[in-house]
Amino acid sequence: MSQTPDSVVRTYIQQHRAAFLDDLAEWLRIPSVSAQPDHAADVRRSADWLAAKLTETGFPTAEVWPTPGAPAVYAEWPSDDPQAPTVLVYGHHDVQPAAREDGWDSDPFAPEIRGNRLYARGAADDKGQVFFHTLGVRAHLAATGRTAPAVHLKLLIEGEEESGSPHFRALVEQHAERLAADAVIVSDTGMWSEDTPTVCTGMRGLAECEIRLYGPDQDIHSGSFGGAVPNPATAAARLVAALHDEHARVAIPGFYDGVVELTDRERALFAELPFDEEQWLRTARSHATRGESGFTTLERVWARPTAEVNGIGGGYQGPGSKTIIPASAMVKLSFRLVAGQDPDHVEKAVRAWAERQVPAGIRCELTFSGATRPCLTPLDHPALQSVVRAMGRAFGETVRFTREGGSGPAADLQDVLGAPVLFLGISVPSDGWHAPNEKVELDLLLKGVETTAYLWGDLAEHWRHAP
Amino acid sequence: MSQTPDSVVRTYIQQHRAAFLDDLAEWLRIPSVSAQPDHAADVRRSADWLAAKLTETGFPTAEVWPTPGAPAVYAEWPSDDPQAPTVLVYGHHDVQPAAREDGWDSDPFAPEIRGNRLYARGAADDKGQVFFHTLGVRAHLAATGRTAPAVHLKLLIEGEEESGSPHFRALVEQHAERLAADAVIVSDTGMWSEDTPTVCTGMRGLAECEIRLYGPDQDIHSGSFGGAVPNPATAAARLVAALHDEHARVAIPGFYDGVVELTDRERALFAELPFDEEQWLRTARSHATRGESGFTTLERVWARPTAEVNGIGGGYQGPGSKTIIPASAMVKLSFRLVAGQDPDHVEKAVRAWAERQVPAGIRCELTFSGATRPCLTPLDHPALQSVVRAMGRAFGETVRFTREGGSGPAADLQDVLGAPVLFLGISVPSDGWHAPNEKVELDLLLKGVETTAYLWGDLAEHWRHAP
Ligand SMILES: [Zn+2]
Ligand SMILES: [Zn+2]
């Protein structure tokens, strides 16, 4: 009886499962918390450990790349097929802070398997999802009888993602030639649920803005002057109130310029997802949904641009009262952007709008930061099709589509390398990213291994360079 | 050549000027700072000093009234005319904090006469303006040959005005029978300027409100949830923005119920004042005027009710950014009220309005405090006419009318005693209340003495009780 490639892959994974989990556990024991300076040596140790493991896996090149902060790991395994596409896998080896007393049932840096789950800080975010590529590429070689992958395979695993990736863009720019790729595969997201495998097709972009409003030269008495001079806290509030129209649509002229609207097919696909609004509200810790008219909750968080107030402040905020007109007030806004929107254009639109809103006698200063472009891969992109097929083979189920409402360093790869960004993740919402008792489902982790074992062959077959 | 009563008064004042100023200086040396606990003994000493001085002046009754905080002083000098009206003078013997290093040119508690000014903390606010009553009543007796004043004269001089008068209303309620009066004369305000003697005819009232808005049960990620759940900071801002309509008129239904509108005569009298808007803006440390359409700046601060934001806060206010939807937000509002408005009615109107504004999914809690009723004495009130005539005799000039935009404990006297409140003050805007180098103009201080020397006789003549 001849083996199909799929059964070869599965058998190979079963045979190497124990060693794979032992290795992952060893890596998880390194508390590579990038946000805590006293763990800087651990983050370096984590990078060294990974580079050595990738060399052991077979990558001819595996290097630790220093940055002014924590180091990244870069590895490369060229295909023996010169027409094969080049794929760059992105992930991170640093983790969120964690301490047993935060509510962990076991030491966050002493990985523990309970039932069919592996509990440890980084199990899902992101060491587990980086590590499945090691066994995945070995299974791919074993099943195909190759000695090099079917695609030119590159890995860039950064060490500061949980600290806001402060040096990531510069690192990518510095190494742009070596990082050049036809597609980027981000291995740092999740899927809809255990029962619903999905591929994420895009992330929202970001523009952040702090607005400072100045009124009187000092706090003045609201009895003596109230009702007769402009109040900067009122001006701040009126700016915020003017952000949205009565349909909860952003009311800044030009804000929606260029927005790539959802297609009917995308909306139909979103609607197929088993969305439970009550459950979603519990996750959001919120007590009602509210958003742009004419769109569902999923459309609002995944595919529509937004304006949110992250902070507002002015005047007296202590106990009791103080009858003043404050000298100044402040608003922190973040705009989530979707495909077609440009952070620079949004900045210009916000500046022009804010200046028109502010009354005479109030001076306003705007400071922008955090500009991140949105990413969106069209549903018919050949690389996305390959991911969907590979995942479908591994899971034996229809693969559906999601998007991600947040923003991430993947956008820097898209911008600098000019490559489309795809997202391949097997984590599920219950994995508890950034929370106590983070875990990964072992079955899903091995489906991740299996997906990548199929993916490189599928990509090489369907998305070859012209000879 | 026979002396007119006015020249008798003036001569009497000149003869006693030096002793009067020496006594005042002695009182000003007591640092009766009610807001600073380490000056509690000084505030008590100030009360004892004043009670002794009032006894020495001739008041048959002069008592120190304890409160749970700092003591007040009460003194009484009945008229020998049973049909005379009863007048209660209100002032305070505590002062604002002051330290040489705040920018004083001399020790704030070592009174110093430079030129024609007396510099000291409390020189104008309020010891000087309390103290002119001592020499005033003596001059009144000297000029009329009486042994008791023409009116039943009562003084209530509190010790916690600069700390918000926390025990004043209870004190007034406790002693309401002894304090009973036909009119209250507040000796704790000022006049338009050195060249423009004025009488204040009213103060605005006050209602304070803190609104807390609760959204998600904790701060949530604006990438994952932004655009799909209500944001309490946005709700807070929209509440504030909804406070006023496009004419800067308060947009809360029912807020203006009962408002006593300015008469044409009052508006004409306000317009006669030599108002310099540029100068006013400098005092307001502000860069533009803004307020209810159809009213002048003076009308806005004196005679129109307002809604002002004293503080607003929610979400992240530190440096940099934090992409959250905050769990809660807060707004502190103060409403200034004018005659005819009732703080309880305003509270009801604000509650109903706020609840209608707040979107589903946001819970709002309102807490009201600081309710103070407005005071307004009609221009034709006989006691007010007496004050105007007495001041006119002292100053030799037309006496005009002002109002006061702030709110004060005088309203408690009006409420509890059911007596109209009049304001007699000789301080000018340059006196620097609550600021370094507080001073009083000696000429004006003595005009204050002279005004009260005429006032009691005028009142008794024009506003007698029916026999
Ligand atoms: Zn991550
Ligand atoms: Zn005062």
Side-chain angles (χ1 to χ4, degrees), chain A residues 204 208 216-218 222-223 227-228 230-231 285 287-288 290 308-312 314 316-318 320-321 324 332 336 405, chain B residues 204 208 216-218 222-223 227-228 230-231 285 287-288 290 308-312 314 316-318 320-321 324 332 336 405:
Chain A
R204 291 196 288 192
E208 290 171 301
D217 293 337
Q218 62 186 36
S222 73
N231 180 327
R285 309 294 306 270
H287 303 280
R290 182 179 177 84
E308 285 289 349
V309 186
N310 309 123
I312 188 167
Y316 181 68
Q317 300 182 44
S321 63
I324 54 165
K332 288 181 194 273
R336 298 285 166 176
Chain B
R204 291 196 288 192
E208 291 171 302
D217 293 335
Q218 63 186 36
S222 73
N231 179 327
R285 309 296 303 272
H287 304 281
R290 182 181 177 82
E308 286 289 350
V309 186
N310 308 123
I312 187 167
Y316 183 67
Q317 300 183 46
S321 64
I324 54 165
K332 287 180 195 274
R336 297 286 165 176

Side-chain angles (χ1 to χ4, degrees), chain A residues 92 125-126 161-162 188 433:
Chain A
H92 60 91
D125 178 21
D126 184 35
E161 200 274 345
E162 301 296 3
D188 184 29
W433 290 30

